[in-house]
């Protein structure tokens, strides 16, 4: 039926050991630093969430939300933040994108890989113009149709997934915006 219940439940149970490892290493008295714990998160939990994510992207929102909760718990624990910390700022501090953007990025990488090899059997399924749009909910389409009719903003995804903050946001200076008229 492709509801993905069992698959996502298996992902969550297999990530619990990694989450316990992160909880152990994030001890306040003798724990490791944030960078090391985030690397462990990437190596143990994020890989399991990413595996097959382009296929189960059409799962129900409640199932996908369980994976978001798992990711947020792991990030919150590795950064040593409280439960009430805002999710968006926590993801920026950890340099981890939301899972829906990560799934879109992985789908685009897969489509680009297929479209670069004309000998691939799936080459004809993937469109070669990614700017086509469709006003339907792409989550309920098969993967090939999602890629074919997807409305992906490549520049936004590139900026979001490759953003690195070396300084805390509150120490950065404000940008100066010039409101000059454009001469035509």
């Amino acid at each position: 039926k492709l509801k993905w219940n069992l698959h996502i439940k298996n992902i969550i149970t297999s990530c619990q050991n990694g989450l316990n490892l992160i909880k152990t290493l994030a001890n306040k008295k003798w724990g490791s630093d944030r960078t090391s714990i985030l690397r462990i998160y990437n190596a143990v939990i994020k890989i399991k969430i990413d595996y097959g994510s382009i296929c189960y992207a059409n799962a129900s929102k409640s199932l996908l939300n369980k994976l978001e909760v798992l990711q947020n718990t792991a990030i919150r624990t590795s950064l040593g933040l409280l439960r009430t910390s805002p999710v968006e700022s926590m993801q920026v501090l950890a340099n981890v994108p939301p899972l829906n953007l990560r799934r879109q990025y992985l789908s685009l990488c897969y489509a680009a890989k297929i479209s670069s090899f004309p000998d691939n059997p799936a080459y004809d399924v993937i469109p070669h113009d990614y700017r086509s749009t469709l006003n339907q909910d792409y989550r309920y389409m098969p993967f090939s149709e999602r890629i074919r009719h997807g409305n992906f903003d490549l520049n936004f995804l590139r900026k979001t997934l490759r953003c690195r903050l070396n300084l805390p946001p509150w120490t950065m200076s404000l940008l100066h915006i010039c409101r000059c008229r454009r001469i035509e």
Side-chain angles (χ1 to χ4, degrees):
K1 295 181 182 180
L2 292 179
K3 291 186 178 181
W4 302 104
N5 299 354
L6 294 175
H7 184 73
I8 291 178
K9 188 183 287 185
N10 285 338
I11 290 173
I12 291 171
T13 55
S14 67
C15 288
Q16 288 300 325
N17 290 335
L19 191 59
N20 290 337
L21 176 66
I22 288 175
K23 287 178 182 177
T24 303
L25 291 176
N27 193 333
K28 291 181 182 178
K29 295 180 182 176
W30 54 268
S32 183
D33 61 324
R34 292 179 179 185
T35 309
S36 301
I37 296 174
L38 285 173
R39 285 182 184 158
I40 291 172
Y41 159 74
N42 286 329
V44 176
I45 295 177
K46 186 177 174 184
I47 281 186
K48 291 180 183 178
I49 292 174
D50 283 349
Y51 182 74
S53 64
I54 58 177
C55 296
Y56 67 75
N58 61 349
S60 67
K61 286 185 180 181
S62 61
L63 286 175
L64 295 176
N65 202 16
K66 289 180 182 180
L67 292 174
E68 284 281 347
V69 169
L70 176 71
Q71 175 182 342
N72 294 339
T73 304
I75 294 171
R76 189 174 286 120
T77 305
S78 42
L79 293 178
L81 300 175
L82 298 174
R83 278 186 162 184
T84 57
S85 303
V87 173
E88 292 84 9
S89 60
M90 179 180 63
Q91 290 172 342
V92 168
L93 286 174
N95 194 24
V96 175
L99 289 179
N100 62 343
L101 289 179
R102 180 77 179 153
R103 282 189 292 270
Q104 282 185 358
Y105 175 75
L106 292 173
S107 298
L108 287 173
C109 288
Y110 182 66
K113 183 178 179 180
I114 287 176
S115 64
S116 64
F117 295 110
D119 295 337
N120 193 319
Y123 179 79
D124 296 329
V125 175
I126 303 297
H128 303 291
D129 180 19
Y130 296 108
R131 287 175 262 154
S132 62
T133 59
L134 186 66
N135 293 330
Q136 293 180 1
D137 190 4
Y138 76 95
R139 292 184 327 107
Y140 299 108
M141 297 180 190
F143 175 69
S144 59
E145 290 296 316
R146 279 186 271 146
I147 294 298
R148 177 176 293 165
H149 300 293
N151 185 12
F152 299 114
D153 186 2
L154 294 175
N155 292 328
F156 176 73
L157 283 175
R158 225 179 269 127
K159 288 177 190 174
T160 304
L161 294 172
R162 299 191 191 259
C163 173
R164 299 228 184 254
L165 285 179
N166 295 332
L167 299 172
W170 54 88
T171 61
M172 300 171 97
S173 61
L174 295 175
L175 295 175
H176 175 70
I177 299 173
C178 179
R179 296 183 183 210
C180 303
R181 280 198 215 175
R182 203 170 83 185
I183 301 172
E184 295 180 8

